Amino acid sequence: MIKILTTILVFIGTIAFGQSVKIDTFRLMESERFKDIEPDKMNFPVIRSGNEEIDALINTGLKNRFTRNEYPNETLDSTLIKWSSDQIEFLGFEVTYN
């Protein structure tokens, strides 16, 4: 009986405390620079965990690591437009572990 109860509590605990994280796609297509590139080829990941502070830290860190801190205080869209001015033809990502 104790083994069954322990197993049930452990199973319920993992469900109750697990976080669900969503990975949205930020599509960079409003810039004049990218008008000739297909819209589905200019994507950048945006993490959504449900906690805005954590999301901001993760997404800012991801943006800054990707652009090597060239525009650390800019928004995601303005950073990507400035950073990729004449360098990028394709921007994509693949989720390998969630």
Side-chain angles (χ1 to χ4, degrees):
M1 179 68 171
I2 293 177
K3 289 182 182 180
I4 294 172
L5 185 60
T6 304
T7 305
I8 291 172
L9 289 175
V10 168
F11 181 70
I12 290 173
T14 57
I15 292 173
F17 295 111
Q19 291 182 337
S20 68
V21 175
K22 293 182 184 177
I23 301 174
D24 290 336
T25 302
F26 176 78
R27 298 193 190 282
L28 187 64
M29 56 187 158
E30 295 182 11
S31 170
E32 184 67 24
R33 156 77 175 94
F34 304 113
K35 68 179 180 185
D36 296 329
I37 299 174
E38 294 177 40
D40 62 337
K41 291 192 175 186
M42 296 304 291
N43 303 318
F44 194 81
V46 177
I47 310 299
R48 306 268 186 236
S49 68
N51 185 327
E52 291 183 21
E53 292 178 26
I54 292 174
D55 295 348
L57 288 172
I58 292 172
N59 291 322
T60 301
L62 187 63
K63 173 195 66 120
N64 289 338
R65 280 182 277 153
F66 182 74
T67 61
R68 295 188 178 104
N69 277 330
E70 286 194 40
Y71 306 99
N73 298 322
E74 298 282 333
T75 62
L76 178 61
D77 56 342
S78 65
T79 297
L80 292 177
I81 289 169
K82 290 176 184 177
W83 185 80
S84 62
S85 59
D86 290 323
Q87 308 172 32
I88 281 188
E89 298 273 331
F90 174 79
L91 178 62
F93 66 96
E94 179 181 341
V95 178
T96 58
Y97 181 76
N98 186 4

